[in-house]
């Protein structure tokens, strides 16, 4: 996913970086040497814990999805398998995560919020 670094802060476990993505501006942890402010970079986003539908993942209207909320990642629900593996379409990229509970219909606009995200440089 193409993202722009809009802010950097030092954290105990490395850098905390605000990334402007096609799905909104999200705070992520960046292990290792972070990119510089203003830099565009290709990243992969990782959410390591299992999320819950209706809590960290919630359906939003198309109008809400067009007005991103700071700290939230908006995407379109592309698929959910029997084990709860979720694929969100965020701009031209996909974000894969695990979730429990009952998901909305495929094609729904979804907001990811209140969870820890780690960003890694994408190796193309």
């Amino acid at each position: 996913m193409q993202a722009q670094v809009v802010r950097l802060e030092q954290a105990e476990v490395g850098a905390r970086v605000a990334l402007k993505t096609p799905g909104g501006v999200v705070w992520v942890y960046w292990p290792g040497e972070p990119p510089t402010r203003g830099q565009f970079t290709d990243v992969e986003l990782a959410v390591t814990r299992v999320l819950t539908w209706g809590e960290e993942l919630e359906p939003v209207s198309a109008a809400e999805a067009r007005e991103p909320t700071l700290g939230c990642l908006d995407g379109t629900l592309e698929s959910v398998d029997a084990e709860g593996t979720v694929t969100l379409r965020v701009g031209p990229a996909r974000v894969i995560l695990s979730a429990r509970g009952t998901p909305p219909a495929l094609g729904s606009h979804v907001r990811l919020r209140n969870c820890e995200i780690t960003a890694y440089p994408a190796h193309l």
Side-chain angles (χ1 to χ4, degrees), residues 5 7-8 15 17 19 30 32-41 43 121:
V5 177
R7 188 166 176 180
L8 291 163
V17 178
L19 292 177
W30 192 285
E33 189 66 32
T36 59
R37 187 169 186 247
Q39 179 181 346
F40 286 88
T41 186
V43 296

Side-chain angles (χ1 to χ4, degrees), residues 9-16 28-32 116-118:
E9 294 179 356
Q10 284 303 323
E12 290 181 23
V13 293
R16 191 166 167 244
V28 300
Y29 290 98
W30 192 285
E116 185 174 302
I117 302 172
T118 303

Side-chain angles (χ1 to χ4, degrees), residues 80-96:
V80 181
D81 71 13
E83 288 79 39
T85 302
V86 174
T87 303
L88 295 180
R89 171 69 68 178
V90 180
R94 290 184 176 105
V95 175
I96 311 295

Side-chain angles (χ1 to χ4, degrees), residues 3-111:
Q4 183 181 22
V5 177
V6 293
R7 188 166 176 180
L8 291 163
E9 294 179 356
Q10 284 303 323
E12 290 181 23
V13 293
R16 191 166 167 244
V17 178
L19 292 177
K20 183 178 181 181
T21 74
V25 177
V26 293
W27 281 100
V28 300
Y29 290 98
W30 192 285
E33 189 66 32
T36 59
R37 187 169 186 247
Q39 179 181 346
F40 286 88
T41 186
D42 287 315
V43 296
E44 293 181 12
L45 301 180
V47 179
T48 56
R49 69 181 178 91
V50 177
L51 306 178
T52 302
W53 287 104
E55 292 180 20
E56 302 94 352
L57 280 169
E58 60 185 359
V60 294
S61 69
E64 288 174 301
R66 281 191 295 273
E67 297 293 331
T69 300
L70 181 64
C72 296
L73 186 68
D74 291 342
T76 303
L77 182 59
E78 194 168 89
S79 67
V80 181
D81 71 13
E83 288 79 39
T85 302
V86 174
T87 303
L88 295 180
R89 171 69 68 178
V90 180
R94 290 184 176 105
V95 175
I96 311 295
L97 51 93
S98 294
R100 62 178 162 248
T102 305
L106 296 182
S108 296
H109 298 284
V110 175
R111 180 163 286 164

